[in-house]
mmCIF file of all heavy atoms in Angstrom:
data_model
loop_
_atom_site.group_PDB
_atom_site.id
_atom_site.type_symbol
_atom_site.label_atom_id
_atom_site.label_comp_id
_atom_site.label_asym_id
_atom_site.label_seq_id
_atom_site.Cartn_x
_atom_site.Cartn_y
_atom_site.Cartn_z
ATOM 1 N N LEU A 1312 -28.992 107.061 -42.494
ATOM 2 C CA LEU A 1312 -28.267 106.193 -41.571
ATOM 3 C C LEU A 1312 -26.786 106.087 -41.964
ATOM 4 O O LEU A 1312 -26.471 105.764 -43.100
ATOM 5 C CB LEU A 1312 -28.907 104.796 -41.609
ATOM 6 C CG LEU A 1312 -29.364 104.152 -40.304
ATOM 7 C CD1 LEU A 1312 -30.098 105.145 -39.415
ATOM 8 C CD2 LEU A 1312 -30.231 102.958 -40.609
ATOM 9 N N PRO A 1313 -25.896 106.349 -41.013
ATOM 10 C CA PRO A 1313 -24.459 106.233 -41.317
ATOM 11 C C PRO A 1313 -24.129 104.772 -41.645
ATOM 12 O O PRO A 1313 -24.767 103.860 -41.128
ATOM 13 C CB PRO A 1313 -23.778 106.642 -40.024
ATOM 14 C CG PRO A 1313 -24.815 107.257 -39.169
ATOM 15 C CD PRO A 1313 -26.132 106.756 -39.613
ATOM 16 N N GLU A 1314 -23.126 104.599 -42.437
ATOM 17 C CA GLU A 1314 -22.766 103.261 -42.889
ATOM 18 C C GLU A 1314 -22.474 102.312 -41.724
ATOM 19 O O GLU A 1314 -22.856 101.149 -41.735
ATOM 20 C CB GLU A 1314 -21.543 103.345 -43.804
ATOM 21 C CG GLU A 1314 -21.756 102.626 -45.125
ATOM 22 C CD GLU A 1314 -20.607 102.893 -46.070
ATOM 23 O OE1 GLU A 1314 -20.673 103.924 -46.784
ATOM 24 O OE2 GLU A 1314 -19.657 102.108 -46.064
ATOM 25 N N GLY A 1315 -21.802 102.860 -40.734
ATOM 26 C CA GLY A 1315 -21.462 102.046 -39.576
ATOM 27 C C GLY A 1315 -22.699 101.529 -38.871
ATOM 28 O O GLY A 1315 -22.765 100.379 -38.448
ATOM 29 N N GLU A 1316 -23.671 102.430 -38.779
ATOM 30 C CA GLU A 1316 -24.919 102.069 -38.107
ATOM 31 C C GLU A 1316 -25.638 100.949 -38.868
ATOM 32 O O GLU A 1316 -26.151 100.003 -38.277
ATOM 33 C CB GLU A 1316 -25.808 103.318 -38.046
ATOM 34 C CG GLU A 1316 -27.079 103.148 -37.255
ATOM 35 C CD GLU A 1316 -26.836 103.008 -35.741
ATOM 36 O OE1 GLU A 1316 -25.686 103.267 -35.283
ATOM 37 O OE2 GLU A 1316 -27.779 102.620 -35.050
ATOM 38 N N VAL A 1317 -25.637 101.059 -40.190
ATOM 39 C CA VAL A 1317 -26.269 100.055 -41.032
ATOM 40 C C VAL A 1317 -25.615 98.707 -40.792
ATOM 41 O O VAL A 1317 -26.284 97.686 -40.597
ATOM 42 C CB VAL A 1317 -26.142 100.441 -42.527
ATOM 43 C CG1 VAL A 1317 -26.583 99.298 -43.415
ATOM 44 C CG2 VAL A 1317 -26.943 101.696 -42.818
ATOM 45 N N LYS A 1318 -24.305 98.746 -40.744
ATOM 46 C CA LYS A 1318 -23.558 97.496 -40.572
ATOM 47 C C LYS A 1318 -23.878 96.866 -39.216
ATOM 48 O O LYS A 1318 -24.076 95.658 -39.088
ATOM 49 C CB LYS A 1318 -22.055 97.778 -40.684
ATOM 50 C CG LYS A 1318 -21.243 96.505 -40.848
ATOM 51 C CD LYS A 1318 -19.818 96.813 -41.259
ATOM 52 C CE LYS A 1318 -19.009 95.557 -41.533
ATOM 53 N NZ LYS A 1318 -19.190 94.497 -40.560
ATOM 54 N N LYS A 1319 -23.941 97.747 -38.212
ATOM 55 C CA LYS A 1319 -24.214 97.285 -36.853
ATOM 56 C C LYS A 1319 -25.576 96.591 -36.767
ATOM 57 O O LYS A 1319 -25.717 95.485 -36.261
ATOM 58 C CB LYS A 1319 -24.190 98.485 -35.894
ATOM 59 C CG LYS A 1319 -23.617 98.138 -34.511
ATOM 60 C CD LYS A 1319 -23.367 99.378 -33.689
ATOM 61 C CE LYS A 1319 -24.628 99.858 -33.019
ATOM 62 N NZ LYS A 1319 -24.450 101.183 -32.356
ATOM 63 N N LEU A 1320 -26.581 97.261 -37.317
ATOM 64 C CA LEU A 1320 -27.932 96.709 -37.282
ATOM 65 C C LEU A 1320 -28.007 95.394 -38.049
ATOM 66 O O LEU A 1320 -28.643 94.435 -37.629
ATOM 67 C CB LEU A 1320 -28.922 97.715 -37.893
ATOM 68 C CG LEU A 1320 -29.207 98.948 -37.054
ATOM 69 C CD1 LEU A 1320 -29.881 100.031 -37.889
ATOM 70 C CD2 LEU A 1320 -30.086 98.602 -35.857
ATOM 71 N N GLN A 1321 -27.316 95.382 -39.152
ATOM 72 C CA GLN A 1321 -27.345 94.202 -39.994
ATOM 73 C C GLN A 1321 -26.676 93.026 -39.286
ATOM 74 O O GLN A 1321 -27.163 91.903 -39.305
ATOM 75 C CB GLN A 1321 -26.622 94.502 -41.313
ATOM 76 C CG GLN A 1321 -27.337 93.926 -42.513
ATOM 77 C CD GLN A 1321 -26.679 94.364 -43.800
ATOM 78 O OE1 GLN A 1321 -26.338 95.542 -43.947
ATOM 79 N NE2 GLN A 1321 -26.478 93.432 -44.705
ATOM 80 N N ASP A 1322 -25.538 93.330 -38.643
ATOM 81 C CA ASP A 1322 -24.820 92.283 -37.908
ATOM 82 C C ASP A 1322 -25.648 91.765 -36.741
ATOM 83 O O ASP A 1322 -25.576 90.596 -36.366
ATOM 84 C CB ASP A 1322 -23.474 92.825 -37.403
ATOM 85 C CG ASP A 1322 -22.492 93.003 -38.557
ATOM 86 O OD1 ASP A 1322 -22.776 92.455 -39.649
ATOM 87 O OD2 ASP A 1322 -21.476 93.694 -38.391
#
Side-chain angles (χ1 to χ4, degrees):
Chain A
L1312 234 44
E1314 231 172 273
E1316 186 70 12
V1317 170
K1318 194 168 184 316
K1319 215 169 82 188
L1320 288 165
Q1321 221 174 316
D1322 288 346

